[in-house]
């Protein structure tokens, strides 16, 4: 049976019309005669959506019991048994009730597709796994229901249901999305214009990537190699030279001209060893590319123009940015160069030749100065062509020049060949020149014999001088090459050591530099296990080693698996996979290995320091606690003690009123002392992650009035506006009352005497917000985080009112219940404290709270 097709309506946020679009498509297909059924649709009470259900068959849902509550879910078996052509199933990312056949609805849909039924479904961008954390960072709301990106990417069709933020907010304000009591909170939180704009951009970019994948698959299936300019992709070629920054920024400007374009940087490494570039310069240019939103790539190839074009065509590039040649004008006469060759071969790819300050100044790389095969070929060519021409010229001048003059002119030609082509070309020219001199100019002419010994001596001297000059030239070239190599190695090691000393490199960064510089497949830093023996025969046993850091392809698990091994010390060794490095590379590799070992130790010391930071913080807290309680605990103790001692003395006859006043003073002081001790104990439990939280469903309209009543006369000026029908929150009753009491007390104390404190509540998605609003001076934005630190009382300089644990403890208690406590400005002046708590849902309450408490304990432990 052929698999059904999957069509997904993707939206940027709730309310854009995904379900409406799905039902509209279902009705159109139904009117064309297609067998369409509704498997599961959530209308959320929206009248226009409900109207579209009319005339479409609905498969009955499956009812399930969970913790004493009935729930309805998609009946997979019923849909498969009905066997329609198309099934409409809403909310792809939905989590099923425990006990269902599958955990997630997308798994139900997979089974329906396998049964040959086409499915049309909906999903919001915030439910995609890869974007879940990004959406939480933007909106501040964590999404518990997610779907793997691959499920949506595999869909046969993905259609974006788009709506501008302003239009969606108008729909919200008109009551077309949420009920009236949720509108204000939704518009001021999740559905802000900035949030909706960011979500819309995420949806558009994700869908653009999906379209790119489809285009790449189509091109691969149809073997299309030429560039399709569906989207601008700019590739900039880097040599590691000083002109790289100019090229990168120019390429970035070209890419910025078209929205949604991509920037790629590529460096071609020769297949025979070290790159011709400076690794430090390439690393810096790579950081620049990534800071501009591009990606860095490295490819291996001896034919640089072909390698560049292969990479550009592989990423479907439309533009290729190259730097003007750094070779001198004389060198450009003999070779077209990479730029001209690439332009001639580029085809449909536009090539930009960018000039720069280094153009035509000549190359200055680690490979410069050596005798390349091209240079040797030029030397041999000069010998083969030049010596016959010189012979012809001197033959026409026979009788005007002596043999000595002929030998000197041939010697000049041999020196020119030596300068151009080095040792072997010069030796060839010297031997060939001596034979030509012997045959054409030494008596007897046109015979390979010499009649006079002086001529023989002159020819021998000619050969010796030519050979000597060629040896000197070749030695100088070799010394130049070695000096350039040593300079490059020294610069590489210097940059390497500097980055380690500055703490800028991790072991992985250093190994990546090593792998790139030497063209290796992988580089692995192995560490001997503590219990592994030092027996020489066990060195190659993978069980004796563990991987401390690795980059590249498949890592080596033992020293014997690599092409080369460099020991750092008895416990660390660097293993390389790929080409076998030469003996000249050994010193640089040893320096890399030593620096990688140093970086590993620095990294571990940093981790130990990070682990010690909580201990230092605990010490600072204990110090602050001792300093804070030195007066705050002594003050109520002193007051209570003085009152009790006064009552016990027999020297003074107290009246009944005075006795009651002393008892009231002692009682108030002891009550304040009890509160201080309770706060200190709770703060210590929070810091240790040991606070006992008993979460249960609570109604805000019941908790807030109790808090106001417990405040006594101070609560007379508090106004409560809690709308009816709010969902229950998941919280600990005692802790929540304590938090609200503290917040309302602070609002009364610091608020305006003319304006009452207001307590309101609203619901948004799966959260409920409780707001404590005052009209006081408020808190400057720069100080809002500081007021939540223990032992801080912003603007309060007396120590008689507590140790400053109120807000710090309140935030800790709210976080322990799975919520948040944040300050905000009150419109018109003042401070609003917002307590956000999760809505109680029986199927998810326990695991959500458990996971959150685990995270809180882990954070406290760190």
């Amino acid at each position: 049976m052929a698999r059904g097709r999957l069509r997904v309506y993707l939206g940027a946020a709730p309310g854009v019309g995904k379900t409406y679009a799905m039902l509209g498509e279902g009705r159109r297909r139904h009117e064309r005669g297609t067998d369409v059924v509704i498997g599961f649709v959530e209308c959320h009470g929206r009248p226009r959506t409900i109207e579209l259900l009319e005339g479409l068959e609905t498969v009955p849902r499956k009812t399930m019991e969970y913790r004493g509550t009935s729930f309805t879910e998609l009946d997979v078996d019923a849909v498969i048994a009905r066997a329609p052509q198309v099934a409409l199933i809403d909310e792809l990312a939905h989590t099923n009730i425990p006990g269902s056949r599958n955990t997630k609805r997308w798994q139900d849909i997979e089974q329906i597709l396998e049964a040959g039924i086409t499915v049309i479904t909906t999903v919001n961008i915030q439910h995609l796994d890869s974007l879940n954390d990004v959406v939480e960072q933007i909106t501040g709301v964590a999404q518990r229901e997610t779907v793997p990106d691959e499920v949506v990417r595999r869909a046969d069709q993905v259609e974006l249901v788009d709506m501008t933020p302003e239009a969606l907010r108008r729909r919200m304000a008109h009551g077309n999305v949420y009920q009236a009591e949720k509108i204000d909170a939704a518009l001021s939180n999740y559905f802000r214009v900035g949030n909706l704009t960011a979500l819309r951009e995420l949806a558009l970019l994700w869908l653009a990537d999906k379209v790119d994948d489809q285009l790449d698959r189509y091109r691969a299936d149809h073997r299309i190699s030429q560039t399709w300019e569906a989207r601008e992709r700019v590739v900039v070629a880097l040599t590691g030279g000083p002109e790289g920054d100019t090229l990168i920024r120019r390429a970035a400007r070209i890419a910025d001209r078209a929205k949604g374009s991509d920037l790629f940087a590529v460096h071609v490494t020769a297949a025979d060893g070290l790159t011709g570039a400076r690794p430090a310069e390439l690393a810096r240019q790579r950081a620049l590319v990534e800071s501009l939103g591009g990606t860095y790539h490295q490819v291996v190839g001896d034919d640089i123009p072909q390698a560049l074009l292969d990479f550009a065509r592989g990423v479907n590039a439309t533009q290729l940015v190259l730097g003007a040649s750094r070779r001198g004008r004389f060198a450009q006469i003999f070779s077209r160069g990479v730029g001209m060759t690439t332009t001639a071969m580029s085809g449909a790819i536009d090539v930009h030749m960018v000039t720069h300050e280094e153009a035509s100044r000549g190359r200055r790389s680690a490979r410069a100065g050596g005798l390349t095969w091209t240079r040797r070929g030029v030397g041999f060519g000069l010998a083969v062509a030049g010596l016959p021409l010189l012979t012809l010229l001197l033959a026409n001048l026979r009788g005007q020049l002596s043999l000595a003059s002929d030998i000197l002119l041939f010697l000049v030609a041999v020196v020119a060949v030596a300068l151009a082509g080095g040792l072997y070309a010069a030796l060839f020219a010297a031997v060939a020149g001596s034979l030509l001199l012997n045959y054409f100019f030494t008596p007897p002419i046109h015979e390979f014999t010499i009649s006079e010994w002086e001529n023989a001596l002159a020819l021998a001297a000619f050969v010796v001088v030519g050979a000597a000059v060629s040896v000197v030239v070749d030695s100088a070239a070799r010394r130049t090459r070695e000096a350039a190599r040593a300079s490059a190695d020294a610069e590489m090691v210097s940059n390497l050591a500097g980055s380690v000393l500055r703490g800028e490199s991790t072991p992985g960064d250093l190994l990546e530099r090593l792998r790139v510089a030497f063209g290796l497949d992988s580089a692995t830093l192995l560490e001997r296990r503590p219990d592994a023996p030092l027996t020489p025969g066990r060195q190659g046993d993978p069980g004796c080693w563990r991987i401390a850091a690795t980059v590249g392809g498949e890592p080596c698990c033992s020293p014997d698996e690599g092409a080369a091994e460099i020991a750092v010390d008895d416990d660390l060794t660097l293993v390389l996979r790929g080409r076998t490095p030469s003996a000249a590379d050994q010193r640089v590799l040893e320096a890399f290995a030593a620096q990688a070992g140093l970086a590993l130790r620095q990294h571990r010391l940093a981790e130990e320091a990070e682990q010690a930071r909580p201990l230092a913080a605990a010490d600072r807290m204990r110090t602050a606690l001792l300093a804070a309680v030195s007066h705050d605990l002594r003050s109520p103790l002193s007051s209570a003690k003085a009152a009790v001692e006064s009552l016990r003395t027999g020297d003074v006859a107290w009246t009944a009123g005075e006795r009651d006043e002393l008892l009231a003073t002692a009682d108030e002081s002891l009550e304040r002392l009890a509160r201080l001790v309770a706060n200190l104990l709770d703060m210590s439990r929070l810091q240790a992650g040991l606070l006992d939280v008993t979460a249960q469903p609570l109604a805000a309209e019941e908790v807030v009035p109790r808090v106001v009543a417990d405040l006594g006369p101070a609560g007379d000026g508090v106004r409560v506006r809690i709308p009816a029908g709010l969902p229950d929150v998941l919280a600990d009753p005692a802790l929540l009352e304590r938090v609200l009491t503290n917040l309302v007390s602070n609002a009364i104390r610091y608020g305006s005497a003319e304006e009452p404190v207001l307590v309101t509540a609203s619901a948004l998605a799966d959260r409920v917000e409780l707001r404590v609003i005052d009209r006081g001076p408020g808190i400057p934005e720069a100080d809002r985080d500081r007021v939540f630190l223990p032992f801080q009382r912003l603007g309060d300089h007396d120590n008689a009112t507590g140790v400053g644990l109120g807000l710090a403890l309140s935030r800790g208690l709210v976080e322990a219940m799975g919520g948040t406590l944040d300050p905000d400005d009150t419109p018109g002046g003042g401070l609003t404290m917002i307590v956000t708590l999760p809505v109680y849902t029986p199927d998810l309450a326990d695991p959500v709270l458990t996971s959150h408490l685990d995270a809180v304990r882990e954070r406290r432990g760190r």
Side-chain angles (χ1 to χ4, degrees):
M1 181 180 297
R3 176 182 168 89
R5 299 176 62 83
L6 177 62
R7 179 169 183 171
V8 178
Y9 283 97
L10 175 68
V16 296
K18 301 179 303 299
T19 304
Y20 190 88
M22 179 186 70
L23 291 173
E25 176 64 18
R27 292 187 66 87
R28 284 191 293 271
R29 297 195 182 196
H30 176 70
E31 292 169 358
R32 293 196 299 263
T34 304
D35 184 12
V36 180
V37 301
I38 296 175
F40 191 101
V41 169
E42 286 287 357
C43 295
H44 301 288
R46 298 164 188 168
R48 296 187 61 190
T49 305
I50 296 174
E51 292 176 0
L52 293 179
L53 298 177
E54 299 178 3
L56 293 177
E57 178 185 350
T58 301
V59 176
R61 301 183 183 184
K62 178 170 56 177
T63 302
M64 302 183 63
E65 295 287 334
Y66 182 68
R67 295 186 176 179
T69 305
S70 296
F71 298 90
T72 59
E73 292 287 1
L74 170 67
D75 194 334
V76 179
D77 294 329
V79 173
I80 294 176
R82 170 62 177 77
Q85 291 177 283
V86 178
L88 309 180
I89 303 175
D90 210 358
E91 298 182 357
L92 178 65
H94 173 74
T95 301
N96 294 330
I97 294 298
S100 301
R101 172 190 288 192
N102 297 305
T103 305
K104 294 285 190 176
R105 181 165 293 164
W106 64 264
Q107 296 170 326
D108 295 338
I109 292 176
E110 283 292 320
Q111 293 185 345
I112 295 174
L113 292 171
E114 290 296 333
I117 302 171
T118 293
V119 175
I120 304 177
T121 186
T122 64
V123 71
N124 279 330
I125 194 67
Q126 67 263 28
H127 294 301
L128 297 180
D129 269 340
S130 65
L131 300 176
N132 187 256
D133 56 339
V134 179
V135 173
E136 181 178 0
Q137 181 182 4
I138 294 171
T139 64
V141 179
Q143 301 293 332
R144 294 194 298 266
E145 295 185 328
T146 61
V147 58
D149 288 46
E150 186 59 27
V151 174
V152 185
R153 289 191 183 278
R154 287 200 309 263
D156 299 281
Q157 295 183 61
V158 178
E159 182 174 337
L160 180 67
V161 182
D162 192 26
M163 181 176 290
T164 64
E166 293 77 11
L168 180 55
R169 285 173 59 86
R170 283 196 300 271
R171 287 197 65 199
M172 181 82 63
H174 293 159
N176 295 330
V177 179
Y178 288 146
Q179 297 178 359
E181 66 272 9
K182 299 181 180 180
I183 293 175
D184 290 340
L187 290 175
S188 60
N189 289 276
Y190 191 92
F191 287 84
R192 294 195 296 266
V193 172
N195 289 357
L196 296 177
T197 303
L199 293 174
R200 190 185 184 201
E201 182 176 14
L202 285 177
L204 291 169
L205 291 176
W206 190 94
L207 189 59
D209 289 338
K210 158 82 172 169
V211 174
D212 279 343
D213 292 342
Q214 291 176 331
L215 180 60
D216 291 341
R217 284 198 300 269
Y218 180 85
R219 285 165 50 85
D221 293 341
H222 292 77
R223 295 180 175 85
I224 299 173
S225 59
Q226 66 265 30
T227 300
W228 284 8
E229 299 186 13
R231 181 176 179 179
E232 289 291 346
R233 289 179 172 85
V234 183
V235 175
V236 54
L238 301 179
T239 64
E243 76 281 1
D245 292 5
T246 302
L247 301 182
I248 292 170
R249 291 190 172 93
R250 179 61 181 274
R253 290 195 297 270
I254 294 174
D256 287 342
R257 292 171 187 167
K259 293 297 183 182
S261 59
D262 296 324
L263 174 63
F264 303 88
V266 60
H267 173 67
V268 179
T269 303
D272 59 350
L274 280 173
T275 70
R278 297 174 177 176
E281 193 74 13
L282 276 177
R284 189 182 61 79
Q285 291 173 4
R286 176 177 184 169
L288 176 60
V289 170
E290 293 174 347
S291 69
L292 294 174
T295 57
Y296 176 86
H297 305 268
Q298 186 161 327
V299 298
V300 177
D302 289 326
D303 188 345
I304 295 178
Q306 189 62 50
L308 285 175
L309 291 173
D310 287 344
F311 175 83
R313 293 188 178 109
V315 298
N316 197 24
T318 57
Q319 316 260 1
L320 180 58
V321 178
L322 302 176
S325 177
R326 285 186 283 134
R327 300 180 307 143
R329 294 183 178 179
F330 182 77
Q332 295 181 31
I333 296 175
F334 297 96
S335 174
R336 301 174 66 186
V338 172
M340 296 299 295
T341 305
T342 304
T343 302
M345 300 167 55
S346 63
I349 300 176
D350 295 336
V351 179
H352 301 263
M353 296 293 295
V354 179
T355 187
H356 49 85
E357 295 181 355
E358 301 296 323
S360 300
R361 292 188 179 182
R363 293 185 180 272
R364 297 187 296 274
S365 68
R367 304 172 74 95
L371 291 178
T372 63
W373 286 107
T374 301
R375 183 171 169 182
R376 291 174 181 173
V378 171
F380 276 101
L382 185 60
V384 171
L387 292 179
L389 291 175
L390 180 61
T391 302
L392 180 62
L393 175 63
L394 294 179
N396 292 328
L397 297 176
R398 183 180 287 116
Q400 300 180 28
L401 297 175
S402 64
L403 178 61
S405 298
D406 293 336
I407 292 175
L408 288 176
L409 291 174
F410 267 91
L411 183 59
V412 171
V414 172
V415 171
V417 171
L419 293 174
L423 175 62
Y424 297 106
L427 290 177
F428 170 78
V431 173
S434 66
L435 294 175
L436 291 172
L437 283 169
N438 186 4
Y439 189 79
F440 288 101
F441 302 104
T442 304
I445 298 174
H446 300 154
E447 293 182 12
F448 286 105
T449 58
I450 302 175
S451 60
E452 298 180 8
W453 68 270
E454 291 182 358
N455 294 336
L457 180 61
L459 288 175
F462 167 78
V463 173
V464 170
V465 171
V469 170
S470 64
V471 169
V472 171
V473 171
D474 189 76
S475 176
R478 186 169 58 254
R479 297 295 184 189
T480 302
R481 184 173 63 252
E482 291 174 354
R485 172 67 177 268
S487 175
D489 291 350
E491 185 175 1
M492 184 188 305
V493 174
S494 174
N495 291 329
L496 182 67
S499 63
V500 173
L501 291 176
R502 292 189 298 269
E504 298 173 353
S505 294
T506 65
D509 295 334
L510 296 179
L511 295 182
E512 179 63 19
R513 290 189 188 182
L514 172 65
R515 189 190 69 80
V516 170
F518 288 88
L520 301 169
D521 294 337
S522 69
T524 305
L525 189 63
L526 294 178
E527 184 178 25
R528 189 186 302 276
R529 295 184 183 275
D531 55 346
L534 295 174
T535 307
R538 296 287 303 280
Q539 294 296 315
D541 185 1
C544 296
W545 301 91
R546 62 187 177 192
I547 298 176
T550 185
V551 296
E554 181 183 359
C556 299
C557 298
S558 72
D560 291 347
E561 296 182 11
E565 171 195 358
I566 300 94
V568 180
D569 52 33
D570 291 339
D571 296 326
L572 284 176
T573 186
L574 178 63
V575 185
L576 310 177
R577 186 189 295 275
R579 77 175 187 91
T580 302
S582 64
D585 299 333
Q586 192 67 25
R587 287 178 299 174
V588 178
L589 291 174
E590 290 175 355
F592 262 105
Q595 298 296 342
L598 177 61
L600 178 64
R601 294 185 178 93
Q602 284 186 344
H603 182 66
R604 289 182 174 173
L605 288 174
E607 289 181 344
E608 292 176 1
E610 186 67 24
Q611 294 174 358
R613 188 170 287 115
L615 299 178
D619 288 339
R620 288 194 299 270
M621 178 161 298
R622 280 192 290 269
T623 303
L625 175 61
L626 292 174
V629 303
S630 60
H631 179 276
D632 292 335
L633 290 179
R634 186 182 302 158
S635 178
L637 280 174
S638 300
S639 299
K641 182 179 180 181
V644 172
E645 288 180 350
S646 299
L647 290 172
R648 294 184 60 188
T649 182
D651 300 336
V652 179
W654 303 103
T655 65
E658 292 172 337
R659 184 179 297 274
D660 291 340
E661 185 177 352
L662 289 173
L663 289 173
T665 300
D667 181 66
E668 181 182 352
S669 299
L670 292 175
E671 180 64 25
R672 194 169 67 206
L673 179 62
R675 288 197 302 269
L676 292 176
V677 172
N679 284 342
L680 290 172
L681 289 175
D682 284 342
M683 180 57 69
S684 65
R685 292 191 186 101
L686 279 173
Q687 293 293 331
L690 300 176
L691 184 68
D692 185 20
V693 178
T694 304
Q696 62 187 60
L698 295 174
E701 57 267 28
E702 296 178 0
V703 176
V704 176
R706 289 203 301 267
V707 170
V708 176
D710 290 342
L711 292 174
D716 294 341
V718 178
R719 300 291 180 265
V720 179
R721 296 178 184 174
I722 306 294
L726 278 180
D728 290 349
V729 299
L730 184 67
D732 184 299
L735 297 184
L736 181 56
E737 288 186 19
R738 187 171 179 182
V739 168
L740 293 177
T741 299
N742 180 53
L743 296 180
V744 175
S745 299
N746 281 345
I748 294 173
R749 178 182 178 187
Y750 296 105
S752 171
E754 291 78 17
E755 296 286 341
V757 173
L758 178 63
V759 181
T760 67
S762 60
L764 172 63
D766 59 349
R767 315 291 284 181
V768 169
E769 291 184 352
L770 298 172
R771 297 170 178 255
V772 179
I773 305 170
D774 67 58
R775 294 291 182 176
I779 299 177
E781 187 172 355
D783 295 327
R784 287 180 184 175
D785 289 335
R786 191 157 63 89
V787 299
F788 290 100
L789 296 176
F791 318 116
Q792 297 287 328
R793 291 188 303 274
L794 189 64
D796 187 6
H797 301 287
D798 73 304
N799 284 332
T801 56
V803 293
L805 287 176
L807 288 178
L809 182 59
S810 296
R811 172 172 276 187
L813 295 177
V814 173
E815 290 180 350
M817 292 184 290
T820 58
L821 174 58
D822 300 295
D824 197 4
D825 290 327
T826 301
L831 178 68
T832 299
M833 301 298 291
I834 306 172
V835 178
T836 305
L837 294 169
V839 171
Y840 172 71
T841 53
D843 56 329
L844 297 176
D846 294 343
V848 168
L849 183 61
T850 302
S851 63
H852 183 83
L853 291 178
D854 291 341
V856 170
R857 292 189 181 102
E858 181 181 356
R859 185 166 63 250
R860 299 291 184 187
R862 290 199 302 263

